[in-house]
Each structure stands twice: as structure tokens, then as C-alpha cells.
Amino acid sequence: MELSAKTKTYFSTVVALWDAEFYVKVDDDVHVNLATLGSTLSMHRMKPRVYVGCMKSGPVLAQRGVKYHEPEYWKFGEIGNKYFRHATGQLYAISQDLATYISINQDVLHKYANEDVSLGSWFIGLDVEHIDDRRICCGSPPDCEWKAQAGNTCIATFDWKCSGICKSVTRMKYIHERCGEDENALWSTTF
């Protein structure tokens, strides 16, 4: 639940320090194509209350001792139920008004075991547009490479089995060479 607390602190801090249209949370072991991310977010800049990510709905894990165990599994109904839709935790973006909402209400927002579930739960009952962009959850080569060759550049690339890039210190350059944007993309993109 410390990751959920960290998420609340992060959004409360960034919204207080920087005036931005979107705030992005990204894990440090994920490859990100910044121009593609920026141009994607710019398409949603005029919309209020936007939550952008690779949306999923996985099983609520009631069994103790397993990775991603949810101590409050009983709140989600019968054993075997799934979580509500929420963005995967590797990378997601929220609009300024949602970050402000988190900052104002941080003392009463509930923390679940998984920070991505917690974030999704904070928006239930609000008029929030969920943008499910599958380019935010591309697999490492050859997946992201094929998509790039087809003109559908990935925003974020990671290995599902590691919830990030496995051995990221040694593999990040390789991932970038195979799936990265053109070296001038960031400088030629209009936001």
C-alpha cells in the first residue's frame, strides 16, 4: 500500500509544482517514446477529466503469499471476481483536474494493495473519460518492432513477465534501437 501512498504524494506534488495539462507516471524500467506520448496526449488536451492508459481488468487475488495479493479482496464480491477497469501501472497519464482532485482529496482516498488499482478506484463515480490506448502496453521486440515498421509506433514498451523491461540496464539500448522513434521525432512533433 506504500506504492498507493507514493502515487497520491506524487500527483499532489506535481500539481502543486507544475502547471501542466497532463501528468504522467512511468516506471523507470519502461521504454518510452516521448514524441509519440506527447502527440497522443495533445489529442486529448481539450477534454476534461481524462485518464489515459492501457486499461485492464485482472483477477482479484485472495490467496495470501502470492504476488499482487489483495488483502481487501472481499470488497470486490465473490472470490474469483475481477477488478474494475484501470490502467496498467507501467505508464499512465491523468489530466490536471484529476491530479488536482487527488491532491485535494488525498486524505480520504482509499489505498488498495496495488497502486494501479487504487488510482482506478479513485475515479469510480466521477465523470472521467477512460482512454484505452494499446500503444501504451507494447511488448518488447519483436512486438514493438513490428508495430513500428507498420507505422504504429509504441508509446511504452516493456516485458509483461517482468512488468517492465527484464534486465533493463543492459537491454534498454537494444529496445530503443529496435522500437524507438526517429532521432528527430521529439524535435519535429507539434504538441
Side-chain angles (χ1 to χ4, degrees), residues 153-165:
T153 303
C154 293
I155 294 170
T157 301
F158 55 89
D159 297 311
W160 282 102
K161 67 182 177 183
C162 295
S163 292
I165 294 175

Side-chain angles (χ1 to χ4, degrees), residues 50-183:
V50 177
Y51 175 32
V52 182
C54 181
M55 301 295 168
K56 67 174 184 170
S57 177
V60 179
L61 301 177
Q63 183 180 352
R64 290 178 193 257
V66 297
K67 188 175 183 179
Y68 305 121
H69 165 67
E70 178 58 68
E72 297 181 271
Y73 63 89
W74 61 272
K75 289 184 177 181
F76 296 91
E78 303 301 319
I79 290 180
N81 278 359
K82 290 187 172 187
Y83 286 115
F84 41 81
R85 287 254 173 232
H86 61 280
T88 60
Q90 289 84 0
L91 185 149
Y92 49 78
I94 61 174
S95 57
Q96 182 184 53
D97 40 5
L98 292 179
T100 301
Y101 172 81
I102 292 169
S103 179
I104 292 169
N105 296 290
Q106 63 182 314
D107 293 335
V108 296
L109 295 174
H110 188 72
K111 297 178 297 203
Y112 289 102
N114 303 300
E115 56 100 2
D116 50 349
V117 170
S118 293
L119 184 76
S121 76
W122 301 336
F123 302 147
I124 291 178
L126 301 179
D127 187 14
V128 173
E129 182 175 355
H130 289 62
I131 308 289
D132 182 16
D133 193 326
R134 307 315 285 179
R135 295 174 304 149
I136 293 175
C137 53
C138 293
S140 59
D143 180 46
C144 59
E145 197 169 18
W146 292 334
K147 290 175 181 173
Q149 290 168 358
N152 195 19
T153 303
C154 293
I155 294 170
T157 301
F158 55 89
D159 297 311
W160 282 102
K161 67 182 177 183
C162 295
S163 292
I165 294 175
C166 302
K167 301 179 183 173
S168 61
V169 172
T170 58
R171 292 188 61 232
M172 191 65 76
K173 185 176 180 182
Y174 166 77
I175 300 288
H176 183 71
E177 289 168 353
R178 299 294 181 277
C179 305
E181 299 166 314
D182 177 83
E183 62 185 50

Side-chain angles (χ1 to χ4, degrees), residues 34-46:
L34 293 175
T36 305
L37 173 62
S39 63
T40 298
L41 293 179
S42 70
M43 292 187 303
H44 304 292
R45 69 191 313 176
M46 302 309 280

